[in-house]
Amino acid sequence: MRKLFLTVLAVLAGLTLLSVPSTAQAAQSSKALVSCPGSKAETGDGITIRVYYVVYGSNCQVNHVQAWSAAGSKYGHFNLFGPYGWSDDSPTKSWGWGEPYNSYPWVIAWPDHLWCAKFYNENNQPITDNICVTI
């Protein structure tokens, strides 16, 4: 009976050790929380991109990306793109100054990941450079 009790106690102790995160995992988690900026924006070449970051568990997640014309009306479409091959195109139409195109990628964000916008005319020719933000 004593052997059975000691065996069960050893198994429970082993399971407890498995559930404790390592120091490296804890450090990475706290770093992700500290570096989640809320939102960041960049304006250039007549367009603005704004990326909204939220804390999700121990990570920073991009939940919302916007792009709009920062210099008058434009006819064409926005292409928003980021890491992991994520890409989203707005409808082709006349975009008024400050009228946003909204997209919701819901993906984990890491430092040095670029989130970008570019504007194309009705013939699918780029009329702006890539305008990007990162954490």
Side-chain angles (χ1 to χ4, degrees):
M1 182 69 159
R2 185 173 177 187
K3 281 185 176 182
L4 178 63
F5 176 74
L6 291 176
T7 302
V8 169
L9 192 58
V11 168
L12 289 176
L15 290 175
T16 302
L17 289 176
L18 288 176
S19 66
V20 175
S22 71
T23 305
Q25 287 174 329
Q28 182 179 5
S29 296
S30 64
K31 181 181 177 190
L33 290 174
V34 170
S35 65
C36 200
S39 71
K40 288 184 83 175
E42 185 68 38
T43 299
D45 214 7
I47 62 172
T48 298
I49 180 171
R50 180 177 299 274
V51 178
Y52 296 88
Y53 302 91
V54 296
V55 175
Y56 184 76
S58 62
N59 293 306
C60 187
Q61 185 169 354
V62 172
N63 74 329
H64 186 187
V65 179
Q66 287 183 314
W68 63 86
S69 173
S73 295
K74 292 180 177 17
Y75 189 85
H77 75 274
F78 291 98
N79 173 243
L80 306 178
F81 55 98
Y84 314 112
W86 176 80
S87 181
D88 190 17
D89 288 317
S90 72
T92 298
K93 66 177 213 146
S94 180
W95 292 90
W97 176 84
E99 178 184 358
Y101 175 64
N102 298 290
S103 187
Y104 303 90
W106 288 103
V107 297
I108 301 298
W110 295 101
D112 302 324
H113 276 178
L114 291 176
W115 298 87
C116 304
K118 190 172 199 165
F119 195 81
Y120 293 80
N121 67 16
E122 64 274 10
N123 297 319
N124 209 31
Q125 298 300 310
I127 60 171
T128 69
D129 291 330
N130 296 338
I131 307 302
C132 303
V133 298
T134 189
I135 292 181

